[in-house]
Amino acid sequence: MLFNTKTFIKRLRKPGTPFHQIRLRIKKRLGWLGIPVIEPFTGFSNGREVFIVGNVMEDKGLEKPEAGHKPRANMLAMFKRYVSDEIGGVRIKIKFRDLMDVVESNDLGLFHCRLKLEHPLPDGVYFEKASFELLDKVVETQSSIIAEGRVMVVSGNHSYGVISDIDDTVMVSHSTQILKKLRLMLFKNARTRIPFEGVSAFYRALYKGKGEEHFPNPMFYVSSSEWNIYDLLTDFMEYRSIPSGPLLLRERKHNIFKFWKWSRGNHDHKLEKIRFLFSFFPRLDFILIGDSGQQDPDIYWRIINEFPNRVKAVYIRCVGKTGNISSTRRTALAMKEKNVPVLLIDNTEEAVRHAISSGFIDEASIPVISRQLRKDHQTSGLFSPE
């Protein structure tokens, strides 16, 4: 069999393979491997257990995004996200309160731990600190590598939790249109990416819930975006004042030269992560929010069947091809037969009206959401068309 150069390069670039490990060893021996950093992702706790996750990788050297950054700066930032190597096989010490564990990163640089608490945490929705320390030396010039992350505690009784997709649900992404998606990924950053109109105020209303006497409702984000753009998504959500919450993203499978496959293909990982949330929070019911472009309706339908009487409502934003929307309508009818309220929406206002009539959010939030809708409509024209 002839040697295939393209196949070799492809395998060499792909993480999670022996070729990836060889490439890391070569870079380390030649002194090309950058200083490692720990990137903690937001963990979560049900008051009795804690789930913590993070990543070890080369320092990407990314600057905070600015609206005035030129397209080439945004392209360089995206390039750095995908050429920085993940570092597997290293030990990380994790501390949360008086608990401690040592875990090892996998071939993709990812690590996680699940800790059992001796005493239940106080009721409410709030964030606590977790600390991380890299125990192994990766490069000669390495000093102490430490990091601090957050854990969202969800303890006690809550009206509901929210599980939302991100691409084409919160943030305009054009996931079903390759060229438009490429343009956004390459030329935009967290400050210039655009949310759907009114989403930030609507999500804040869902977080607040109905009345001051209740705990806030926890927000979770499950997306087919890859962990490599975690910083972009969290910066975007912070800048747009979208309620903070754990992001559960996709394990990296594609390299910088395969933009067209990002957020496409099989989305079973989203199903697995949503299942985990339902199991980890057995006393919490959920509102599910997604779009018609990435199999969200089918995933939510399976969740409804696997966890009966725990889905309070489903909101699906209609995007993409007519065939997707037709299939979504059929799935929505099946959900309604299970007595789950389903709304297929073209804009945020429709979801707001339903959430108010269902008692999910307070009517007092209407003026704030209306102002946000007007503001988003006005400011969407400040950037080049999506």
Side-chain angles (χ1 to χ4, degrees):
M1 188 170 109
L2 294 175
F3 180 79
N4 189 319
T5 304
K6 286 186 177 180
T7 301
F8 178 77
I9 295 296
K10 176 181 176 182
R11 288 178 178 173
L12 197 63
R13 292 186 180 280
K14 184 177 180 181
T17 66
F19 294 95
H20 177 244
Q21 297 302 319
I22 292 171
R23 183 159 64 98
L24 277 178
R25 293 194 199 104
I26 293 173
K27 286 180 68 174
K28 183 176 179 180
R29 177 164 294 188
L30 295 175
W32 294 349
L33 189 63
I35 299 294
V37 294
I38 300 171
E39 184 179 27
F41 306 138
T42 301
F44 45 88
S45 170
N46 56 21
R48 300 172 302 281
E49 290 184 272
V50 183
F51 183 78
I52 296 174
V53 63
N55 194 20
V56 183
M57 70 188 82
E58 285 183 286
D59 189 354
K60 299 173 185 176
L62 294 175
E63 298 178 0
K64 274 292 182 182
E66 296 292 342
H69 275 179
K70 294 182 178 180
R72 65 172 177 268
N74 297 327
M75 286 182 66
L76 178 61
M78 186 59 67
F79 183 75
K80 286 180 178 179
R81 290 186 180 99
Y82 278 85
V83 297
S84 295
D85 273 307
E86 301 87 355
I87 299 173
V90 294
R91 295 171 302 143
I92 304 95
K93 181 167 69 174
I94 303 171
K95 289 183 178 180
F96 178 80
R97 289 199 161 207
D98 56 350
L99 300 174
M100 188 272 290
D101 194 10
V102 175
V103 298
E104 185 174 301
S105 61
N106 66 13
D107 287 345
L108 298 171
L110 296 169
F111 62 86
H112 75 273
C113 72
R114 189 168 176 172
L115 305 171
K116 288 192 175 181
L117 296 158
E118 187 175 345
H119 303 290
L121 295 176
D123 289 349
V125 174
Y126 52 93
F127 290 89
E128 293 212 2
K129 295 178 182 178
S131 62
F132 303 81
E133 180 182 1
L134 184 61
L135 299 180
D136 294 318
K137 193 164 188 176
V138 178
V139 296
E140 289 300 322
T141 56
Q142 174 184 324
S143 57
S144 176
I145 307 294
I146 59 174
E148 188 175 274
R150 301 193 308 164
V151 172
M152 185 176 75
V153 179
V154 182
S155 184
N157 296 317
H158 304 271
S159 300
Y160 54 81
V162 176
I163 298 176
S164 174
D165 183 36
I166 299 176
D167 293 317
D168 288 326
T169 300
V170 173
M171 178 171 66
V172 176
S173 302
H174 299 304
S175 295
T176 61
Q177 301 177 63
I178 296 172
L179 293 178
K180 286 187 175 182
K181 180 175 69 173
L182 276 170
R183 182 169 175 245
L184 289 178
M185 295 292 287
L186 287 171
F187 302 129
K188 302 287 185 177
N189 61 36
R191 295 294 180 97
T192 54
R193 293 293 295 268
I194 296 176
F196 283 96
E197 293 178 5
V199 161
S200 60
F202 177 45
Y203 277 38
R204 291 197 300 272
L206 288 170
Y207 173 77
K208 182 179 178 181
K210 185 114 181 241
E212 299 287 347
E213 68 275 9
H214 298 285
F215 292 130
N217 300 304
M219 311 289 290
F220 301 88
Y221 302 91
V222 179
S223 172
S224 285
S225 293
E226 296 180 344
W227 287 111
N228 300 65
I229 64 168
Y230 181 84
D231 68 292
L232 184 149
L233 296 178
T234 53
D235 286 344
F236 168 83
M237 295 172 73
E238 180 183 358
Y239 179 63
R240 297 295 179 176
S241 300
I242 296 168
S244 181
L247 276 66
L248 287 80
L249 306 181
R250 186 176 194 161
E251 288 70 31
R252 179 177 173 183
K253 290 187 178 181
H254 306 299
N255 61 44
I256 188 68
F257 303 105
K258 290 196 174 181
F259 279 103
W260 63 88
K261 289 191 175 182
W262 294 344
S263 300
R264 301 187 72 190
N266 191 296
H267 295 273
D268 283 350
H269 74 99
K270 290 170 73 171
L271 176 62
E272 293 168 3
K273 290 176 173 66
I274 295 172
R275 278 176 178 154
F276 180 68
L277 290 174
F278 270 73
S279 300
F280 195 81
F281 297 99
R283 296 187 296 169
L284 189 61
D285 296 338
F286 288 94
I287 295 172
L288 306 179
I289 309 178
D291 66 86
S292 62
Q294 292 186 348
Q295 302 173 19
D296 291 345
D298 293 333
I299 292 169
Y300 295 169
W301 164 242
R302 294 177 67 176
I303 290 295
I304 287 167
N305 283 281
E306 293 177 24
F307 299 92
N309 304 315
R310 291 193 54 198
V311 177
K312 297 179 79 70
V314 175
Y315 299 138
I316 298 292
R317 189 180 295 276
C318 294
V319 299
K321 298 178 181 178
T322 305
N324 286 345
I325 296 172
S326 297
S327 173
T328 297
R329 288 196 180 102
R330 291 192 294 272
T331 305
L333 286 173
M335 292 181 189
K336 289 177 181 177
E337 290 176 359
K338 293 283 186 179
N339 296 318
V340 175
V342 182
L343 207 66
L344 305 184
I345 63 172
D346 293 314
N347 56 68
T348 305
E349 294 163 278
E350 298 172 61
V352 170
R353 287 195 294 268
H354 182 272
I356 290 172
S357 65
S358 301
F360 299 149
I361 65 177
D362 201 309
E363 289 187 23
S365 62
I366 292 177
V368 177
I369 297 174
S370 297
R371 285 196 296 271
Q372 186 73 57
L373 282 162
R374 290 194 297 271
K375 179 182 177 183
D376 289 345
H377 184 71
Q378 292 168 357
T379 58
S380 62
L382 294 177
F383 305 109
S384 57
E386 295 291 305

